[in-house]
Amino acid sequence: MITPEEIEKLSELARIKVPESEREKLANDVESILGYVGVISSIVGEEVVEAGEHRNIMREDGEPHKAGMYTDRLVDQLSKQDDNSLVVKKIIEQ
Amino acid sequence: MDTENLTIKSASEALRNKDFSAVELTESYLKNIEANDKDVRAYLEVFDDAITSAKEADVSFSKGEYSPLLGIPLAIKDNILIKGHIASAASKMLENYKATYDATVISRLRKEGAVFLGRVNMDEFAMGGSTENSAFGVTKNPHDLSRVSGGSSGGSAAAVAASLALGALGSDTGGSVRQPASYCGVVGFKPTYGTVSRNGLIALGSSLDQIGPLTKTVEDSEIIFDAIKGADKMDSTSLRDPVYSPNGGKVVGVPRGFLRNGVDNEVMENFERTLRSLESSGYTIKEIELPNIKASLAVYYIIMPAEASTNLSRFDGMRYGLHVNGASLIDDYKESRGAGFGEEVRRRILLGTYVLSSGYYDAYYGKATAVRKIITNDFLEAFKRVDLIATPTTPSTAFVIGEKADPLSMYLEDIFTVSSNLTGMPSISIPMGTVPNGGRDLPIGFQFIAPHLHEKSLFEGGKDVEASI
């Protein structure tokens, strides 16, 4: 049973503000979806874990782009910037 | 210009024969958009540089250059980045986000000289099957404006169906290209996982996502696929050296046991009629078993939210996207994400967070990963006996806007499409006629599934379905 308190905990973990008024409905939704997806526990079969066809492909460092080439475009998207730096709130109290 | 009957193939021939210019072609579509898109609402933005691209295409033609997509006007789903243009994924979160680079598929289409008419609507972050989850309004079905266009690539499907573009790109995570194609009466193709680069596609479920075309014909679908496919060093899951199989034959497997429940009678009748017609043109129809396919939707609704919750953690309101000021840095995150994400996105992120949390991981995510492999093996086993597998694309025709208020009932529309995303196999939806519903004739799709890299079989089979209608 998913409770509104669990929704609150999940929203903390996921860092999403969920108004208290929505928690009850979300709890019901998540509960019913989990009920549906729970059928997988009844599937039995050969559970062979093997490396897939798709592998992570690594490359050597190299081919650096020219310094500053993308800076303006990226800085343009920052929520708050100062001298090409992202400004965020202080997290350490003195 | 008769845009209703124009295809990419026929328009390209007309351009080459100088029957009309690329500028005239693009202008015709811009006119269609102006006249009809206020009803359909497929586009979120029409680009003012479309005519400039069309002019460039005319210059290329005048120099004797040619490509099957040169001067062809296309619509692009709003989760595919086009440098300098907004890519919002139909979310408040990215309402003002300007793409800083071209997705690989875009740079490939650009190289071919395609014209981008604009960006089209979708469910927010591709989460949904109707575009009702778009933060910017729902796209209507051109065949009946009271019904949904499907989703998540609903804008792409509606744009092609209403002749507001000659073709479109969508993305398919669980059926998001094929389902709206089925609802809108166009062809929708999801390629083999890894054949088309995901670089520059705003990610939903990275092990499931694949970009695919929506077009009027199978031939057009093939033309776009040929332009966008290929290895890409910017996507490490793109296949380095894929070897495509030649056309594999005409034995079609039908999982009748799986289709027995939940499919509308009229849809099933159309499906059976199409099978009979394929039979009379030389196909063999065989009944097959896919013992665990019933679990595919459940597996999907564990893996997809898990991957989505991870992928969407990048939206923190700091580096890009919506920023809402809170009391502290952590409140900035929570407020920004709370305000930026819509209801369905929040629901899936929380669900994904749940199935990945310690204590539940093994029972849900771990088990789903194992069952995914079992389902894939079922398909591989079936493909030892048959060349293609056929199902209706969707259990029913497009539903009325607002009809599916319960999230689970919406998820069930993906029942026949999700397995191809779990297995990575290619599939295509081809219109198989119409079904009467609510006083209208509504289109419905026929789905072919093929083994990995057997796209040729899909295209050949798809053309035979087209011929049978």
Side-chain angles (χ1 to χ4, degrees), chain B residues 99-125:
Chain B
T100 52
Y101 63 98
D102 273 340
T104 298
V105 290
I106 293 299
S107 55
R108 287 187 178 164
L109 289 175
R110 231 187 254 291
K111 223 176 92 201
E112 301 290 315
V115 172
F116 306 124
L117 290 171
R119 52 190 182 92
V120 280
N121 200 17
M122 54 186 281
D123 286 290
E124 184 179 3
F125 285 104

CSV table of all heavy atoms in Angstrom, one decimal, chain B residues 99-125:
chain,number,residue,atom,x,y,z
B,99,ALA,N,18.2,25.1,-28.5
B,99,ALA,CA,19.2,24.1,-28.7
B,99,ALA,C,20.5,24.7,-29.1
B,99,ALA,O,20.6,25.6,-29.9
B,99,ALA,CB,18.7,23.2,-29.8
B,100,THR,N,21.6,24.2,-28.5
B,100,THR,CA,22.9,24.7,-28.7
B,100,THR,C,23.7,24.0,-29.8
B,100,THR,O,24.7,24.3,-30.2
B,100,THR,CB,23.8,24.7,-27.5
B,100,THR,OG1,23.8,23.4,-26.9
B,100,THR,CG2,23.2,25.7,-26.4
B,101,TYR,N,23.0,22.9,-30.3
B,101,TYR,CA,23.7,22.1,-31.4
B,101,TYR,C,22.6,21.3,-32.1
B,101,TYR,O,21.4,21.2,-31.7
B,101,TYR,CB,24.7,21.1,-30.9
B,101,TYR,CG,24.2,20.1,-29.9
B,101,TYR,CD1,23.9,18.8,-30.4
B,101,TYR,CD2,24.0,20.3,-28.6
B,101,TYR,CE1,23.4,17.8,-29.6
B,101,TYR,CE2,23.5,19.3,-27.7
B,101,TYR,CZ,23.2,18.1,-28.2
B,101,TYR,OH,22.7,17.1,-27.4
B,102,ASP,N,22.9,20.8,-33.3
B,102,ASP,CA,22.0,20.0,-34.1
B,102,ASP,C,22.1,18.6,-33.7
B,102,ASP,O,23.2,18.0,-33.5
B,102,ASP,CB,22.4,20.0,-35.6
B,102,ASP,CG,21.8,21.2,-36.4
B,102,ASP,OD1,20.8,21.8,-35.9
B,102,ASP,OD2,22.3,21.5,-37.4
B,103,ALA,N,20.9,17.9,-33.5
B,103,ALA,CA,20.9,16.5,-33.3
B,103,ALA,C,21.6,15.8,-34.5
B,103,ALA,O,21.5,16.4,-35.6
B,103,ALA,CB,19.5,15.9,-33.2
B,104,THR,N,22.1,14.6,-34.4
B,104,THR,CA,22.8,14.0,-35.5
B,104,THR,C,21.8,13.8,-36.7
B,104,THR,O,22.1,14.0,-37.8
B,104,THR,CB,23.4,12.6,-35.1
B,104,THR,OG1,24.4,12.9,-34.1
B,104,THR,CG2,24.0,11.9,-36.3
B,105,VAL,N,20.6,13.4,-36.4
B,105,VAL,CA,19.6,13.2,-37.4
B,105,VAL,C,19.3,14.5,-38.2
B,105,VAL,O,19.1,14.5,-39.4
B,105,VAL,CB,18.2,12.6,-36.9
B,105,VAL,CG1,18.4,11.2,-36.5
B,105,VAL,CG2,17.6,13.5,-35.8
B,106,ILE,N,19.3,15.6,-37.5
B,106,ILE,CA,19.1,16.9,-38.1
B,106,ILE,C,20.3,17.3,-39.0
B,106,ILE,O,20.1,17.7,-40.2
B,106,ILE,CB,18.9,18.0,-37.0
B,106,ILE,CG1,17.6,17.7,-36.3
B,106,ILE,CG2,18.9,19.4,-37.7
B,106,ILE,CD1,16.3,17.7,-37.2
B,107,SER,N,21.5,17.1,-38.5
B,107,SER,CA,22.6,17.4,-39.4
B,107,SER,C,22.7,16.5,-40.6
B,107,SER,O,23.1,17.0,-41.7
B,107,SER,CB,24.0,17.4,-38.6
B,107,SER,OG,24.2,16.2,-38.0
B,108,ARG,N,22.2,15.3,-40.5
B,108,ARG,CA,22.2,14.4,-41.7
B,108,ARG,C,21.1,14.8,-42.6
B,108,ARG,O,21.3,14.8,-43.9
B,108,ARG,CB,21.9,12.9,-41.2
B,108,ARG,CG,23.2,12.4,-40.6
B,108,ARG,CD,23.2,10.9,-40.3
B,108,ARG,NE,24.5,10.6,-39.7
B,108,ARG,CZ,24.8,9.5,-39.0
B,108,ARG,NH1,23.9,8.6,-38.8
B,108,ARG,NH2,26.0,9.3,-38.6
B,109,LEU,N,19.9,15.2,-42.1
B,109,LEU,CA,18.9,15.7,-43.0
B,109,LEU,C,19.3,17.0,-43.7
B,109,LEU,O,18.9,17.3,-44.9
B,109,LEU,CB,17.6,15.9,-42.3
B,109,LEU,CG,16.9,14.6,-41.8
B,109,LEU,CD1,15.6,14.9,-40.9
B,109,LEU,CD2,16.4,13.7,-43.0
B,110,ARG,N,20.0,17.8,-42.9
B,110,ARG,CA,20.4,19.1,-43.5
B,110,ARG,C,21.4,18.9,-44.7
B,110,ARG,O,21.3,19.5,-45.7
B,110,ARG,CB,21.2,19.8,-42.4
B,110,ARG,CG,20.8,21.3,-42.2
B,110,ARG,CD,21.8,21.9,-41.2
B,110,ARG,NE,21.2,22.1,-39.9
B,110,ARG,CZ,20.3,23.0,-39.6
B,110,ARG,NH1,19.7,23.7,-40.5
B,110,ARG,NH2,19.8,23.2,-38.4
B,111,LYS,N,22.3,17.9,-44.5
B,111,LYS,CA,23.2,17.5,-45.5
B,111,LYS,C,22.5,17.1,-46.8
B,111,LYS,O,22.9,17.4,-47.9
B,111,LYS,CB,24.1,16.4,-45.0
B,111,LYS,CG,25.6,16.6,-45.4
B,111,LYS,CD,26.5,15.6,-44.8
B,111,LYS,CE,26.7,14.4,-45.8
B,111,LYS,NZ,27.1,13.2,-45.2
B,112,GLU,N,21.3,16.5,-46.6
B,112,GLU,CA,20.5,16.0,-47.8
B,112,GLU,C,19.7,17.2,-48.4
B,112,GLU,O,19.1,17.0,-49.4
B,112,GLU,CB,19.6,14.9,-47.4
B,112,GLU,CG,20.2,13.7,-46.8
B,112,GLU,CD,21.0,12.9,-47.8
B,112,GLU,OE1,20.4,12.7,-48.9
B,112,GLU,OE2,22.1,12.5,-47.6
B,113,GLY,N,19.7,18.3,-47.7
B,113,GLY,CA,19.0,19.5,-48.2
B,113,GLY,C,17.5,19.5,-47.8
B,113,GLY,O,16.7,20.2,-48.5
B,114,ALA,N,17.1,18.8,-46.8
B,114,ALA,CA,15.7,18.8,-46.4
B,114,ALA,C,15.4,20.2,-45.8
B,114,ALA,O,16.2,20.8,-45.3
B,114,ALA,CB,15.4,17.7,-45.4
B,115,VAL,N,14.1,20.5,-45.8
B,115,VAL,CA,13.6,21.8,-45.3
B,115,VAL,C,12.9,21.5,-44.0
B,115,VAL,O,12.0,20.7,-44.0
B,115,VAL,CB,12.7,22.5,-46.3
B,115,VAL,CG1,12.1,23.7,-45.7
B,115,VAL,CG2,13.5,22.8,-47.6
B,116,PHE,N,13.2,22.2,-42.9
B,116,PHE,CA,12.5,22.0,-41.6
B,116,PHE,C,11.4,23.1,-41.5
B,116,PHE,O,11.7,24.3,-41.4
B,116,PHE,CB,13.5,22.1,-40.5
B,116,PHE,CG,14.6,21.1,-40.6
B,116,PHE,CD1,15.9,21.5,-40.6
B,116,PHE,CD2,14.4,19.8,-40.8
B,116,PHE,CE1,17.0,20.7,-40.7
B,116,PHE,CE2,15.4,18.9,-41.0
B,116,PHE,CZ,16.7,19.3,-40.9
B,117,LEU,N,10.2,22.6,-41.6
B,117,LEU,CA,9.0,23.6,-41.5
B,117,LEU,C,8.8,24.1,-40.1
B,117,LEU,O,8.4,25.3,-39.9
B,117,LEU,CB,7.7,22.9,-42.0
B,117,LEU,CG,7.6,22.5,-43.4
B,117,LEU,CD1,6.4,21.7,-43.7
B,117,LEU,CD2,7.5,23.8,-44.3
B,118,GLY,N,9.0,23.3,-39.1
B,118,GLY,CA,8.8,23.7,-37.7
B,118,GLY,C,8.9,22.5,-36.8
B,118,GLY,O,9.2,21.4,-37.2
B,119,ARG,N,8.6,22.9,-35.5
B,119,ARG,CA,8.6,21.8,-34.5
B,119,ARG,C,7.2,21.5,-34.1
B,119,ARG,O,6.3,22.3,-34.0
B,119,ARG,CB,9.5,22.2,-33.3
B,119,ARG,CG,9.1,23.5,-32.7
B,119,ARG,CD,10.1,24.0,-31.7
B,119,ARG,NE,9.7,25.2,-31.1
B,119,ARG,CZ,9.0,25.3,-30.0
B,119,ARG,NH1,8.6,24.3,-29.3
B,119,ARG,NH2,8.7,26.5,-29.5
B,120,VAL,N,6.9,20.2,-33.9
B,120,VAL,CA,5.5,19.7,-33.7
B,120,VAL,C,5.3,19.1,-32.3
B,120,VAL,O,6.2,18.7,-31.7
B,120,VAL,CB,5.1,18.7,-34.8
B,120,VAL,CG1,4.7,19.4,-36.1
B,120,VAL,CG2,6.2,17.7,-35.1
B,121,ASN,N,4.1,19.2,-32.0
B,121,ASN,CA,3.6,18.8,-30.6
B,121,ASN,C,3.8,17.4,-30.2
B,121,ASN,O,3.9,16.5,-31.1
B,121,ASN,CB,2.2,19.2,-30.5
B,121,ASN,CG,1.7,19.4,-29.0
B,121,ASN,OD1,2.6,19.6,-28.1
B,121,ASN,ND2,0.4,19.4,-28.8
B,122,MET,N,3.8,17.1,-29.0
B,122,MET,CA,4.1,15.8,-28.4
B,122,MET,C,3.6,15.8,-27.0
B,122,MET,O,3.2,16.8,-26.4
B,122,MET,CB,5.6,15.5,-28.4
B,122,MET,CG,6.4,16.6,-27.7
B,122,MET,SD,8.2,16.3,-27.9
B,122,MET,CE,8.5,15.0,-26.7
B,123,ASP,N,3.5,14.6,-26.4
B,123,ASP,CA,3.3,14.5,-24.9
B,123,ASP,C,4.6,15.0,-24.3
B,123,ASP,O,5.7,14.7,-24.7
B,123,ASP,CB,3.0,13.1,-24.5
B,123,ASP,CG,1.6,12.7,-24.9
B,123,ASP,OD1,0.6,13.2,-24.3
B,123,ASP,OD2,1.5,11.8,-25.8
B,124,GLU,N,4.4,15.7,-23.1
B,124,GLU,CA,5.6,16.2,-22.4
B,124,GLU,C,6.6,15.2,-22.2
B,124,GLU,O,6.4,14.1,-21.7
B,124,GLU,CB,5.1,16.8,-21.1
B,124,GLU,CG,6.2,17.5,-20.3
B,124,GLU,CD,5.8,18.0,-19.0
B,124,GLU,OE1,4.6,17.9,-18.6
B,124,GLU,OE2,6.6,18.6,-18.3
B,125,PHE,N,7.9,15.5,-22.6
B,125,PHE,CA,9.0,14.5,-22.6
B,125,PHE,C,8.7,13.2,-23.1
B,125,PHE,O,9.2,12.1,-22.7
B,125,PHE,CB,9.5,14.4,-21.1
B,125,PHE,CG,10.3,15.6,-20.7
B,125,PHE,CD1,9.7,16.5,-19.8
B,125,PHE,CD2,11.6,15.9,-21.2
B,125,PHE,CE1,10.4,17.7,-19.4
B,125,PHE,CE2,12.3,17.0,-20.8
B,125,PHE,CZ,11.7,17.9,-19.9
